[in-house]
Amino acid sequence: QGFAPHTTYKYGGQFPSRPDNVRFEDVDGVARIRDLLIVESRIRDAIAHGYIVDREGKHIDIMNERGIDVVGDIIESSLYSPNVQYYGALHNTAHIVLGRQSDPHGKYDLPPGVL
């Protein structure tokens, strides 16, 4: 769905809007959509299997009281993520990619959107 923030930056200028039915594009120097989909798939697989793979290849069980925290760590790519190289930085990168969809290649030098 599209998004029209109807708001301005603190020092002037409108936040860009995003029309309906936008096909998300790679954002130069930030991320490729394909890579975000791969990372998302890895996180979904970890949840479905009930474990996360750490840097050494060991399994970390997430089917316990701490599991939701570990899943949150990999989605947020926090300092506590057991394997940033494999699970990436989905949450942070997705925000940047969404915010840059009005000018993903920097052609118009638009400021990022509200995300």
Side-chain angles (χ1 to χ4, degrees):
Q1 280 204 352
F3 181 72
H6 300 289
T7 190
T8 59
Y9 280 98
K10 184 177 182 177
Y11 299 105
Q14 297 284 323
F15 278 98
S17 61
R18 186 177 62 240
D20 288 337
N21 304 313
V22 168
R23 182 183 165 108
F24 292 125
E25 293 185 41
D26 298 346
V27 175
D28 295 347
V30 176
R32 297 183 311 179
I33 299 302
R34 178 181 176 274
D35 294 339
L36 292 175
L37 293 172
I38 289 169
V39 168
E40 178 190 10
S41 177
R42 289 175 179 173
I43 294 169
R44 287 179 180 271
D45 286 347
I47 294 167
H49 288 102
Y51 63 86
I52 290 167
V53 179
D54 71 10
R55 282 182 223 106
E56 288 83 38
K58 296 177 186 163
H59 292 184
I60 299 172
D61 182 25
I62 58 171
M63 302 304 286
N64 55 45
E65 68 280 347
R66 172 129 168 70
I68 191 67
D69 293 326
V70 178
V71 171
D73 291 340
I74 65 171
I75 290 172
E76 288 290 330
S77 187
S78 75
L79 295 173
Y80 305 108
S81 177
N83 195 342
V84 175
Q85 292 295 335
Y86 186 71
Y87 294 109
L90 181 63
H91 182 252
N92 300 333
T93 308
H95 273 278
I96 295 168
V97 167
L98 286 172
R100 296 277 309 274
Q101 286 305 299
S102 57
D103 189 18
H105 307 295
K107 180 177 179 181
Y108 306 106
D109 200 26
L110 291 176
V114 294
L115 289 174

